[in-house]
Amino acid sequence: MHLLSIEDLSDAQIATILDEGERWFAYNRQPRRNDRRLDGLTIVNAFFENSTRTLLSFEIAANRLGAQVVTMQVAHSSIKKGETLEDTARTLNAMRPDALVIRHAKSGAPHDISAIMDCPVVNAGDGIGEHPTQALLDAATIRQHFGRIGGLKIAICGDIKHSRVARSNAKLLGRLGADLRFVGPPSLMPPELGGGSIDAAVDGANVVMMLRVQRERLEDDLGDAPGEFLSRYGLTEARFAKAAPDAVIMHPGPINRGVEIEGPLADHAERSLIVRQVEMGVAVRMAVLDLLTATRRG
Ligand code: ASP
């Protein structure tokens, strides 16, 4: 089994990952962790795009389950000598890993690689495609906080067009019964996902999820003056005041403070779940690695 898209998961598997994620979250807060269920397995991380949270949390998740973890040094690899991604995959496959976690700038790259690999492949973000483990950790964080997802009003705001996080969350949170609203600058909105103003989207929302402008994926610079994005499309104190009284703020990171969100809102002690999302990321990735390697462990 691979995890390339939210669509690869059954409802029962989603429920297992969320339940187990919450359990691992509590487990990770213990002073010593000695679970060894992935003992004897080798997990390879191959990140062809930058990452802090996703890469480190996959490394920590695999380590906490007792696996041997190898992270490919892409900048020092034969990719730089002209080797194709497919040939790199054949090389990795020959080393018999038990799971491959891959991030790549090309949408669909993990899918192409999964046809070559004999082990489970996890998509850790592919271009503007999907980022399924981010959506799973977002769902787990929301459910842990509110005790439910169904019926919550969730506003997802910013560069929707280039966001693999938005795409995976549209599938997952929609399936779990959330009332989703997508909003961003017209040039960064896929028409099928709606539109409207950020003020209308945030009004009464229980969750406000802000996204970074993916400037590395823009063909033309947005041409926005300093402060313009925040005042037109970002999360300000004044806008957040219109959200539901119990509203929380989320962001997959990395944050561009003062661009899509005012810094103090990102740090808000009661309302911001951004650091909680990172903590849940390790826990949910433990649940994902456990599920995907279960058949290999007999
Ligand atoms: N870290 C997330 C991703 O890799 C979001 C972002 O980069 O803005 O998609």
Side-chain angles (χ1 to χ4, degrees), residues 14-298:
I14 291 170
T16 300
I17 292 169
L18 300 187
D19 289 347
E20 288 295 293
E22 273 196 60
R23 203 178 59 74
W24 288 121
F25 183 97
Y27 171 88
N28 284 336
R29 287 194 167 194
Q30 295 172 1
R32 285 177 75 89
R33 308 111 180 165
N34 49 13
D35 194 284
R36 307 288 304 162
R37 68 185 61 197
L38 266 57
D39 189 21
L41 301 193
T42 305
I43 311 290
V44 173
N45 296 311
F47 279 56
F48 297 86
E49 263 196 339
N50 294 347
S51 177
T52 300
R53 280 152 289 270
T54 308
L55 175 56
L56 278 178
S57 61
F58 266 113
E59 285 186 351
I60 293 170
N63 273 306
R64 288 223 174 122
L65 297 174
Q68 292 154 6
V69 188
V70 181
T71 293
M72 187 177 155
Q73 302 299 312
V74 171
H76 303 286
S77 72
S78 289
I79 288 273
K80 301 288 173 196
K81 299 181 185 170
E83 186 171 64
T84 66
L85 184 60
E86 285 72 14
D87 283 337
T88 300
R90 285 183 195 102
T91 303
L92 294 176
N93 195 46
M95 297 177 187
R96 299 194 169 272
D98 296 291
L100 173 68
V101 181
I102 176 169
R103 167 171 288 191
H104 202 279
K106 182 174 159 246
S107 307
H111 179 267
D112 299 345
I113 293 312
S114 70
I116 295 170
M117 302 299 294
D118 294 316
C119 67
V121 174
V122 184
N123 177 4
D126 64 321
I128 62 166
E130 277 211 48
H131 194 351
T133 60
Q134 177 71 45
L136 288 161
L137 78 88
D138 289 341
T141 306
I142 294 168
R143 201 185 70 168
Q144 185 192 50
H145 182 83
F146 287 100
R148 68 191 168 101
I149 293 172
L152 291 179
K153 294 186 174 70
I154 303 180
I156 302 184
C157 315
D159 180 359
I160 307 291
K161 182 175 167 189
H162 300 105
S163 176
R164 50 202 182 199
V165 176
R167 220 150 267 120
S168 286
N169 266 321
K171 291 179 183 171
L172 180 63
L173 297 176
R175 226 163 118 180
L176 295 171
D179 170 5
L180 295 174
R181 311 149 173 202
F182 294 90
V183 65
S187 66
L188 301 180
M189 270 312 290
E192 70 279 8
L193 280 182
S197 77
I198 178 158
D199 297 277
V202 170
D203 194 5
N206 305 103
V207 178
V208 181
M209 186 185 292
M210 300 307 298
L211 301 171
R212 180 179 68 89
V213 178
Q214 309 271 301
R215 293 192 196 260
E216 70 274 31
R217 302 187 211 286
L218 296 182
E219 274 165 27
D220 301 310
D221 194 67
L222 273 189
D224 50 329
E228 191 184 338
F229 192 92
L230 181 69
S231 67
R232 293 182 67 179
Y233 308 108
L235 191 63
T236 58
E237 292 266 6
R239 282 196 176 113
F240 188 59
K242 304 267 173 52
D246 65 348
V248 294
I249 298 162
M250 298 178 73
H251 193 307
I255 299 169
N256 283 162
R257 288 169 184 265
V259 180
E260 69 272 9
I261 185 168
E262 282 177 353
L265 281 177
D267 302 329
H268 198 296
E270 289 92 45
R271 298 279 139 226
S272 173
L273 296 185
I274 296 172
V275 175
R276 181 64 67 98
Q277 286 172 269
V278 177
E279 187 173 358
M280 188 61 88
V282 175
V284 160
R285 288 171 177 130
M286 290 168 80
V288 164
L289 291 176
D290 184 19
L291 177 75
L292 293 183
T293 59
T295 51
R296 303 177 82 80
R297 289 180 275 136

